[in-house]
Amino acid sequence: MPHPRDVIVLGLGGMGSAAAYHLAARGHRVLGLERFGPAHHRGSSHGGSRIVRQSYFEDPAYVPLLLRSYELFAKLEHDTGRSIATLCGGVMVGRPESRTVSGSLRSARQWDLPHEMLDAAEVRRRFPTLTPADDEVALYEARAGFVRPESTVAAHLQLAQQAGAELRFEEPVTRWEVLPGGRGVRVHTTDDVYSAGHLVVCPGAWAPGLLAGLGAHFTVERQVMYWFRPRGGSAPFAPERHPVYVWEDAEGVQIYGFPAIEGPDGGAKTAFFRKGSPCDPETVERTVTEAESAAMAAQLRTRLPQLPGSLRKAVTCMYTTTPDEHFVLARHPLHPEAVTVACGFSGHGFKFVPVVGEIVADLALNGTTEHPIALFDPRRDALRAPHRRLATPEGETTT
């Protein structure tokens, strides 16, 4: 008996909203399920801005995906009329041997990406808001910038619905199961039970519970984003004058930040990169302490001395990190005929949202994709570590 739907998409944040759109746009019957509301602030796809960059220090293998993602962000803007991407330029700052600088340079050279190498004096001349030390350098990329996560998610949800997808919000998934012989899936929620020919799991910080059978180790981390009002006003931090940045110090600590994009009183956003604490997504502490804000301000005083004038706000989000900080993006190795997974984006996934949606649609419908995703194989040895269970796990069941 045919299923009433072709594909169920579990999770409608950044990746899931894009997957629902690409699947529906190809003419398939799609049901999307989300535990919160549309474009919510309870997971990882919020905060007003996310950096986009192509000279990728994490690994040159990401660059082809980034190039396609840039094309799809532009198409998303065109198709919806929403403001999503701003390419204001960006600098990767640190000592020449730092991962941030040397890794960015390696990707830029391998893929022949336009870039400039700037010494500290040139950085200070071009961008007076930045004060690198004399032994620091920067890779400048004119096509770096930022995208707006809430607008991106809302745009994909809009297009998914226009293409015929059924999207259900405030309906948490409690478990899922593959039917005998791999002939489809059944998904249980707090409200109902649904069946489909295929399941796409984009669980964000709920991956440790909903993908327990994957055998991968995920660490969910509480992160904090800060908005500071610059001393003397926000004008020097406007997007036409101040770049996005990732900045690594001598101890390997990275911070990142943005122009002031929320008006004269909105402040400029900044945060630590990979300096979070393990958490449970159901009970994560949403209150940011004065000590946390003071630690961020202390980092800024030596690098962007105008910025930590006063704290406007601080907001938490979550990373879902794999041991090697690379994604998990593939057919489920235990259920390749029925389940596709997209998770473990390790704090650097949002810039890939549109291309991940395209890849997930390829995998769900065809079992393969032309995009290079070998790096994200869930069977890789780096993922085999003791599994950390959540306090209130949500399991998967195979029948």
Side-chain angles (χ1 to χ4, degrees):
M1 180 180 295
H3 296 288
R5 299 169 181 87
D6 298 318
V7 186
I8 294 174
V9 178
L10 192 168
L12 294 173
M15 306 306 174
S17 63
Y21 158 57
H22 280 280
L23 287 161
R26 298 184 193 187
H28 292 271
R29 298 167 299 171
V30 176
L31 169 65
L33 297 170
E34 169 58 50
R35 67 172 48 233
F36 302 115
H40 62 83
H41 63 279
R42 302 292 297 280
S44 305
S45 299
H46 63 282
S49 57
R50 289 290 186 275
I51 288 177
V52 289
R53 50 191 167 89
Q54 296 180 353
S55 300
Y56 217 58
F57 62 77
E58 286 83 351
D59 195 297
Y62 286 90
V63 173
L65 300 179
L66 288 163
L67 297 177
R68 178 58 176 159
S69 199
Y70 269 54
E71 293 175 350
L72 291 172
F73 273 124
K75 184 176 187 300
L76 191 62
E77 285 191 318
H78 177 270
D79 290 348
T80 64
R82 295 176 182 265
S83 176
I84 291 174
T86 300
L87 301 184
C88 59
V91 286
M92 309 299 116
V93 188
R95 292 181 175 179
E97 69 276 10
S98 68
R99 181 191 184 197
T100 301
V101 174
S102 66
S104 298
L105 183 58
R106 180 166 66 117
S107 284
R109 287 174 170 170
Q110 180 170 327
W111 292 98
D112 196 25
L113 300 173
H115 68 283
E116 299 176 67
M117 293 303 302
L118 311 178
D119 62 18
E122 183 64 9
V123 173
R124 293 191 291 262
R125 186 188 71 80
R126 288 202 200 183
F127 309 112
T129 51
L130 309 180
T131 57
D134 288 341
D135 63 349
E136 292 181 313
V137 298
L139 182 145
Y140 173 71
E141 180 184 325
R143 286 187 57 75
F146 60 90
V147 294
R148 295 184 177 273
E150 292 91 344
S151 293
T152 301
V153 173
H156 278 132
L157 294 176
Q158 172 190 332
L159 293 179
Q161 287 183 306
Q162 290 174 358
E166 177 188 359
L167 307 180
R168 299 181 66 89
F169 299 96
E170 308 292 345
E171 189 169 344
V173 170
T174 56
R175 66 187 180 95
W176 56 266
E177 57 198 19
V178 176
L179 300 177
R183 295 190 301 273
V185 295
R186 187 179 295 123
V187 177
H188 300 253
T189 75
T190 53
D191 293 351
D192 211 336
V193 180
Y194 306 96
S195 65
H198 198 88
L199 174 66
V200 168
V201 187
C202 302
W206 285 261
L210 286 167
L211 289 171
L214 193 63
H217 178 60
F218 301 105
T219 300
V220 180
E221 301 172 355
R222 172 185 178 271
Q223 304 286 340
V224 182
M225 302 174 284
Y226 305 86
W227 284 258
F228 288 93
R229 290 189 181 94
R231 286 196 300 273
S234 296
F237 289 83
E240 61 270 19
R241 301 175 66 182
H242 177 75
V244 298
Y245 58 88
V246 180
W247 200 324
E248 182 176 340
D249 69 13
E251 285 71 48
V253 175
Q254 292 170 304
I255 65 171
Y256 67 94
F258 301 82
I261 62 174
E262 297 183 5
D265 295 323
K269 177 183 164 186
T270 188
F272 287 102
F273 188 39
R274 306 199 191 289
K275 197 178 179 183
S277 55
C279 71
D280 181 323
E282 298 289 356
T283 60
V284 59
E285 177 57 64
R286 300 284 179 179
T287 301
V288 179
T289 67
E290 291 185 9
E292 288 177 306
S293 300
M296 186 75 252
Q299 288 282 334
L300 298 173
R301 287 191 186 98
T302 60
R303 308 190 210 189
L304 298 91
Q306 292 174 261
L307 185 53
S310 62
L311 180 68
R312 179 181 176 272
K313 66 177 178 178
V315 174
T316 59
C317 71
M318 290 178 284
Y319 290 178
T320 308
T321 303
T322 63
D324 61 3
E325 299 174 358
H326 296 310
F327 311 156
V328 177
L329 184 55
R331 286 276 186 113
H332 196 303
L334 299 181
H335 317 295
E337 71 290 341
V339 183
T340 296
V341 296
C343 57
F345 289 95
S346 303
H348 63 114
F350 200 89
K351 57 185 69 64
F352 298 90
V353 157
V355 72
V356 166
E358 189 171 65
I359 291 167
V360 165
D362 291 344
L363 294 173
L365 301 176
N366 307 317
T368 187
T369 181
E370 294 183 357
H371 291 293
I373 61 169
L375 188 62
F376 313 137
D377 193 327
R379 298 166 297 183
R380 65 188 188 268
D381 290 341
L383 295 184
R384 307 302 163 217
H387 181 68
R388 174 182 173 269
R389 289 193 176 275
L390 299 180
T392 309
E394 295 178 293
E396 60 180 63
T397 304
T398 302
T399 60

